Amino acid sequence: MPKSPKYLLIGSTETYSGKSATVLGLSHQLQQKGLDIAYGKPLGTCLNSSSGTVIEEDVQFIAHSLNLPENRVAPTMLALDELNVQKRLRGEDKTNYQQSLLQQYSQMLPGDLVLLEGPGDLSEGSLFDLSLLQVAEVLDAGVLLVARYKSLLSIEALLAAKERMGDRLIGVVINDIPVAELKAVDTVLRPFLEQRDIPVLGMLPNSDLLKSVSVGELVKQLKADVLCRNDRLDLLVESLAIGAMNVNSAVKYFRKRRNMAVVTGGDRVEIQQAALETSTQCLILTGQLPPPPFILSRAEELEIPILSVDLDTLTTVEIVDRTFGQVRLHEPIKVQYIRQLMVEHFDIDRLLSKLGLTPATALS
């Protein structure tokens, strides 16, 4: 009779804390240790149903990155969208999701360890009885919590989570720590948490690369027209600049930044020219005014895409800023980077010990 796998839930104190990145780096290390792992995300937020079956995009991406066979990928049970919420509130959806979860996940997934990506925060999913703690209790899973660092006060969310999770919480990852504050986190925050039985298994420094978004993603979010270099939408944008000042000020401003997306009016030709000669990954022109031919020619030469949007500058900036706040990891260079980051800053052996797992011979 096959052995039952152990379950590890990757949760977070707030949305966009770095759960997917943690899963990506952690699962790669587990595979390197020779463990047979499976992966799933019970509650979906980015669903794609074009193939006829509902698939969570992050699950698809992570499964592909890890070369997981179909029998190591758990189904996403429910989309957290407006339609499903309304059905639940109206009493049209009376499904016992905890029972469904237990049936689907306990029977379908063989292997040593099932990694499950939890909801966006500690409360999300409660309407369907699928909050982080509820899922952990149904599957008898340990919880690894990811928290984005903001200041030493970030500790309060972790203390509250410990009070809520109790012994289910087997460790935390503190993510996105400014390099200048790593020492304070290590010497002040980490010991404080450890004394309160909250193991700190990882401390990850912040990274402009991981926060970057592709030009292609900006095109998608802005519904932009690509005026040139449609072949360079893979370029990664790390910062946003607004070309609304005079050209001399703009040049000084642009030179201090790197890998920018520059938002400016279609009529601000001198700003466009200045942006092209600095560290710019794409130009976003508002007002639907086409740039002059020499700007297009120079952008072609420098391989810098120019986007045109039917939006005002303020709306454009808001959409770009929101896109940065919801950054995803679907670029190979980010996958490689997060794996290296986790190798250097996450204690995989301590996690395995807490899970009661013995690694097989490490793979070469």
Side-chain angles (χ1 to χ4, degrees):
M1 188 164 176
K3 62 180 179 179
S4 298
K6 291 181 181 289
Y7 289 85
L8 177 64
L9 259 174
I10 313 296
S12 56
T13 52
E14 61 181 336
T15 55
Y16 302 107
S17 293
K19 290 194 310 295
S20 294
T22 301
V23 168
L24 209 49
L26 173 58
S27 51
H28 180 68
Q29 283 194 73
L30 292 167
Q31 285 183 327
Q32 294 298 106
K33 292 281 188 182
L35 290 167
D36 182 3
I37 64 168
Y39 168 69
K41 189 175 180 183
L43 285 175
T45 49
C46 303
L47 297 173
N48 181 352
S49 57
S50 59
S51 61
T53 56
V54 177
I55 299 172
E56 164 69 35
E57 288 180 8
D58 285 344
V59 172
Q60 203 170 28
F61 175 74
I62 290 175
H64 176 73
S65 299
L66 298 170
N67 293 315
L68 293 177
E70 282 187 21
N71 69 339
R72 295 296 188 277
V73 181
T76 294
M77 297 176 55
L78 178 72
L80 275 179
D81 58 22
E82 192 74 15
L83 181 61
N84 283 327
V85 169
Q86 283 189 17
K87 285 181 179 177
R88 192 70 166 182
L89 292 176
R90 289 172 179 155
E92 296 167 12
D93 177 8
K94 300 183 186 296
T95 307
N96 183 334
Y97 284 101
Q98 291 192 1
Q99 187 177 29
S100 300
L101 181 80
L102 192 61
Q103 287 173 347
Q104 287 194 40
Y105 281 49
S106 61
Q107 293 174 13
M108 291 187 64
L109 298 171
D112 300 313
L113 180 67
V114 181
L115 285 176
L116 294 179
E117 188 169 338
D121 56 36
L122 301 184
S123 300
E124 193 174 79
S126 298
L127 178 63
F128 303 92
D129 300 318
L130 291 175
S131 70
L132 187 69
L133 182 56
Q134 287 171 317
V135 172
E137 288 178 339
V138 168
L139 295 175
D140 192 22
V143 174
L144 177 66
L145 210 57
V146 184
R148 187 178 293 281
Y149 180 82
K150 293 175 182 172
S151 73
L152 289 176
L153 282 173
S154 299
I155 199 165
E156 293 188 334
L158 294 174
L159 292 173
K162 173 62 176 177
E163 190 174 342
R164 199 162 170 177
M165 297 278 159
D167 291 341
R168 292 275 173 209
L169 183 63
I170 63 172
V172 299
V173 175
I174 304 171
N175 188 27
D176 201 25
I177 308 169
V179 174
E181 296 189 50
L182 276 169
K183 185 176 180 182
V185 174
D186 189 37
T187 58
V188 178
L189 194 146
R190 181 206 281 265
F192 186 91
L193 288 171
E194 294 278 359
Q195 286 166 12
R196 281 150 185 80
D197 196 26
I198 305 175
V200 180
L201 302 183
M203 300 192 316
L204 308 183
N206 66 1
S207 160
D208 289 336
L209 173 63
L210 291 180
K211 291 179 181 175
S212 66
V213 298
S214 68
V215 175
E217 185 64 22
L218 293 179
V219 170
K220 178 180 169 185
Q221 296 297 330
L222 291 165
K223 298 180 173 59
D225 295 322
V226 182
L227 303 184
C228 71
R229 297 316 303 228
N230 199 55
D231 60 326
R232 298 299 281 128
L233 302 186
D234 59 333
L235 291 172
L236 293 176
V237 175
E238 294 179 6
S239 62
L240 172 65
I242 305 165
M245 65 288 281
N246 66 56
V247 68
N248 290 332
S249 298
V251 169
K252 292 177 185 175
Y253 176 54
F254 292 161
R255 282 177 179 165
K256 292 176 183 176
R257 305 173 77 83
R258 55 189 291 257
N259 297 335
M260 303 175 289
V262 176
V263 177
T264 192
D267 57 343
R268 298 298 305 272
V269 177
E270 74 287 358
I271 298 288
Q272 297 165 24
Q273 197 168 12
L276 290 176
E277 303 306 325
T278 51
S279 181
T280 298
Q281 302 291 69
C282 75
L283 263 178
I284 304 172
L285 306 184
T286 60
Q288 282 204 312
L289 292 170
F294 79 90
I295 290 288
L296 281 171
S297 175
R298 184 61 174 150
E300 286 279 0
E301 184 183 336
L302 294 170
E303 301 188 5
I304 298 173
I306 297 182
L307 317 183
S308 175
V309 296
D310 186 18
L311 300 165
D312 60 74
T313 299
L314 183 60
T315 304
T316 302
V317 169
E318 285 176 350
I319 292 172
V320 173
D321 198 46
R322 187 167 67 241
T323 305
F324 273 112
Q326 300 174 358
V327 70
R328 318 243 329 261
L329 295 170
H330 294 196
E331 291 90 15
I333 189 171
K334 289 187 181 181
V335 174
Q336 187 177 352
Y337 184 83
I338 191 62
R339 285 175 175 174
Q340 188 58 39
L341 203 62
M342 288 288 284
V343 166
E344 293 176 8
H345 299 282
F346 184 84
D347 192 341
I348 186 69
D349 292 326
R350 191 177 179 196
L351 174 69
L352 290 175
S353 173
K354 290 194 165 293
L355 290 170
L357 287 170
T358 305
T361 305
L363 302 177
S364 58

